[in-house]
Amino acid sequence: MLSLVTFLPLLGALAIAIGVRNNAHKANMARYGALIVSLATFFLSLVLLHRFDVASSAFQFLEEVPWLPAFGIHYRMGVDGISLPFVLLTTLLTPICILASWESIQKRVKEYMIAFLALEAFVVGVFCALDFILFYILWEAMLIPMFLIIGVWGGPNRIYAAMKFFLYTLAGSVLMLLAVLAMGIKGGTFSIPELMDLPLSFQFQVWVFLGFFVSFSVKVPMWPVHTWLPDAHVEAPTAGSVILAGILLKMGAYGFLRFSIPMLPDAARFFTPLIFALSLVAVIYTALVALMQRDLKKLIAYSSVSHMGFVTIGLFTFNQQGVEGGILQMINHGIVAGALFLLVGVIYDRLHTREIIRFGGLAQRMPIYAVIFMLFSMASVGLPGTNGFVGEFLILLGAFLASKAVAFLAATGVVLGAAYMLWMYKRVVFGEIRNPEVSALKDVGMRELATFIPLIVLVFWIGFYPKPFLDVFHVSVQHLLEQASVIKTGAVVMGMK
Amino acid sequence: MAEELLDIHLTLMMPEILVAVMAMVLLLLSAWTHRGGTGVVHWLTILTIGAVILVLQAGEGAAATFAGQFVIDDFARYMKILMCLGMIFPIIMSLDYFRGHAMDGGEYHVVALFALLGGMIMVSSGGFLILYLGVELMSLSFYVLAAWRRDDVQSGEAGLKYFILGSVASGLLLYGISMIYGVTGAVSFREVAAFMGSPAGHANQLLSLGVVMILAGMGFKVAAVPFHMWAPDVYQGAPTPVTVFMSVMPKVASIAVLLRILMEVFVVQHAQWVPIVQLFAVLSMGVGAFAGLVQTNIKRLLAYSSISHVGYMFIGLVTNTQAGVQGVLVYLTIYLVMTMGAFGIILSFDRQGLGEKISDYQGLAHKQPLMAFVMAMFMFSMAGIPPLAGFIGKLNIFMAAVKADMVPLAVAGVLFSAIGAYYYLRVVKVMYFDLPEGSFKVSVSGGGFLIVTLSLFLTFLWGILPGDLLAWTGAGVMVFHH
């Protein structure tokens, strides 16, 4: 079942690669093919959700096939309450992305769709993998399609951005490989559930934690290794930005949740002050940077860094509210930042500029667009009634329990977030029409509307009634916190004290 | 003594005898037929190597002959098969090349067979003298091959450079051997190893110096930094099929020899050679990664790439464990496949008189998406990106290093691999992101198509299901037990 969800997109990509001829007339075939495959994957993942037992913290839908048994490497798949939401987020955003690329991608449509479906398969695989080597392979493999998506279909400076994206993430990942190997060799297996119970000395935990930390912090991205993100976002095509903000950034935070905290709890607690400090810098500093941006996409990119700072604070509070808030906020950010990039894409398709100064007065010509844009801006700011509020509130609550100072500083980030979003919204949507091209604009069409509707529904659903969402990972988070509260070093710590 | 000399089992040397006899037959054949009989000799060479591979594959067990001077075991057989593949693939790919460059002449194949013979003798050597004979036979053949395009200045320069520097390296090797002989009074590996294990062998300065000299000589043959200076020039100048030979066969032979003498003969001295090989490894990975960044010629780029690949294999060597040896064997095999594939594409460009400059590949993805995709996969694989075979090679090496508690070396390895990834990416960038200049189309020859397809298949297969490869190399590794 899980393997089907993971590899269906890859099979679809293969079918398109073989079945669709490489010419412009057949582009629609590639588009419909990709849309059908990604929708089928989404429905399959809904079946997964339906069959998922939320009362259990165990990994479900387990699959295990020996792969390289001599090294203790198996093909192991499974999801728990923490990974399932990300699988769903991925399968939801992919069809939306394909729909959003319907007209904006005109050259080499077939290859684009193949790259996108391959990307979806690898990312879903990352969230389902229960074997460290499998996880690492999928984690790295994902770089290839994303590199091509930015580099082939991106903006004017795409080559620089694609290279930077690839090398930054690769440099981070290779150190993770060593951490993975160290863990696997220590434990004699690469099975993730088994390694969670492995007792480890404090020193060993610290080194392995650092190996993971380099990789995950680049991916999240945390300050000061976030600089690849604005470049990648600005140059990537709209759908590339959506998937980057919506899902790829979550992989880093997911890594913290899945590995760093349960496997290396002592080191995780030891490094918590560092993570809080870096996250707070991200929350406040990048919010200030976002205020200064002239490029709409850059602004949202920096706001992503800022929001992900919130997420990492939540995850490292080590309490139920904070961690659940962190996970929820990741989903929220996936929805809201994804939608904001789609919104930018809508006007970019029409005006071919992202300079904030070139807009203004959009409300007069595109009322529906203005409403949708407002909705997601509010969700990004965290207005009560939207999903952003629930997530931020839980995180701040958790942070308050962990450290009042952190909670206070993080709260200033919320204020700054409101400042840059509202100011941006005012400059783009309200005011006089300065750019003559704006006066000829058409409002959003049916296809574009279709990409926003599921996201709008989610914004309000989570905003007003988040319980079903929280329920999915509630038990798993409880289990995670139990794992994190165990002092794994045992005798070593006692000896030191 | 007399009894020992009588202990001769020629059947153990079947593959070598086959190669030697066929080389001589083909030499006569090419002398007597019109225009050197390129076609006939070409196919007969392929048949010969194919037969040798079959003979090697059928062999089993370990044995020695010529008073232990000639050894054959699973390890030697595995390495010989690799060398045969490293020889047969480029020959299959390059029939066109000879015709296109007016290099008709069966002698080319004859010299190639002699090089192969030299390599096979190296791998099977059980003593320093026979080792030296093998090294010289292989090296001399390669000097000639590198200079094969007589009318081409670069080819001549490559041959001369390779010859002069190679002779120095051979000299160093011989000097080291003579020192070891001076101390131990023996040339066979078994006797030298016995002496090294005895109290007299411990901490003997002259012995250590001998080990260093031998390391330097072999280091030159595999182009490990700091003995790599010749590689980029020779790779660039030599005819492309010869570059393919050179990037695989001598490395397989020399690494096999290094594994054998370092892990079987200089066991006691390992405290002395480990730091040296470690230094070679780090320098090779580093120079390979950094110097590759600025290359504009793809053959030079692959020269630096091969230097860094040797660095990774040396990590496996340094670990001094079975896991490390297996890592080396897996890496070598995968390296062979990736190199063949990439050169297959380069050779098909050569049919248009192009392919040397990286800029020749500009916009290939726009013109010939399939070919660009294949080349991109080889580049990603060389960079060590999963799920391609190159990753499995690196994984094995790093796993062995972490297991042997050599984490700093592994850290250096992964960091250099991230830096080196840039230049492989640059080739992908040129193919995919840049717009094409000129509207030429490149077609692959039948042989080229075969080898590239096979290499691509193996690059994917071993990236996803490396089980078979691990099983095959596992047998070769069992030879090393201590």
Side-chain angles (χ1 to χ4, degrees), chain A residues 22 67-68 71 108 111 133 136-137 140-141 144 147-148 151-152 158-159 162-163 166-167 170-171 174-175 177-178 181-182 185, chain B residues 365-366 369 380 385-387 391 395-396 398-399 402-403 410-411 414 418 421-422 425-426 429 432-434 464-467 470:
Chain A
N22 216 343
W67 187 12
L68 296 174
F71 292 146
R108 303 166 81 186
E111 282 92 338
I133 299 291
Y136 183 81
I137 287 178
E140 287 274 72
I144 300 177
F147 173 70
L148 294 177
V152 177
R158 61 190 201 280
I159 295 172
M163 286 282 186
F166 196 102
L167 294 174
L170 182 68
V174 291
L175 287 172
L177 175 63
L178 292 184
L181 291 178
I185 287 166
Chain B
H366 298 259
F380 280 125
I385 309 293
F391 169 72
L395 178 73
N396 270 282
F398 293 139
M399 207 180 303
V402 173
K403 238 180 214 163
V411 170
V414 293
Y422 176 80
L425 277 190
R426 207 164 52 118
K429 177 216 121 185
Y432 274 83
F433 304 167
D434 292 353
I464 297 164
L465 297 170
L470 294 176

Side-chain angles (χ1 to χ4, degrees), chain B residues 266-300:
Chain B
F266 301 145
V267 184
V268 185
Q269 270 76 12
H270 95 99
Q272 280 145 40
W273 62 259
V274 162
I276 300 175
V277 180
Q278 211 161 5
L279 188 71
F280 285 1
V282 174
L283 286 177
S284 302
M285 292 185 299
V287 170
F290 279 106
L293 298 179
V294 292
Q295 301 307 321
T296 54
N297 179 298
I298 196 146
K299 279 160 81 181
R300 283 187 90 84

Side-chain angles (χ1 to χ4, degrees), chain A residues 45-102:
Chain A
S45 63
L46 284 182
V47 175
L48 215 59
L49 178 68
H50 178 69
R51 291 206 202 151
F52 183 79
D53 175 15
V54 293
S56 159
S57 68
F59 288 101
Q60 301 178 27
F61 309 110
L62 287 172
E63 289 169 21
E64 181 160 346
V65 182
W67 187 12
L68 296 174
F71 292 146
I73 300 172
H74 293 243
Y75 172 83
R76 293 188 187 90
M77 301 279 268
V79 284
D80 67 351
I82 293 174
S83 43
L84 187 63
F86 297 108
V87 173
L88 282 162
L89 188 64
T90 313
T91 54
L92 170 70
L93 284 181
T94 306
I96 291 179
C97 284
I98 288 170
L99 217 50
S101 322
W102 210 259

Side-chain angles (χ1 to χ4, degrees), chain B residues 25-40:
Chain B
V25 170
L26 293 178
L27 183 61
L28 293 178
L29 194 64
S30 54
W32 281 333
T33 46
H34 172 62
R35 293 188 63 194
T38 314
V40 183

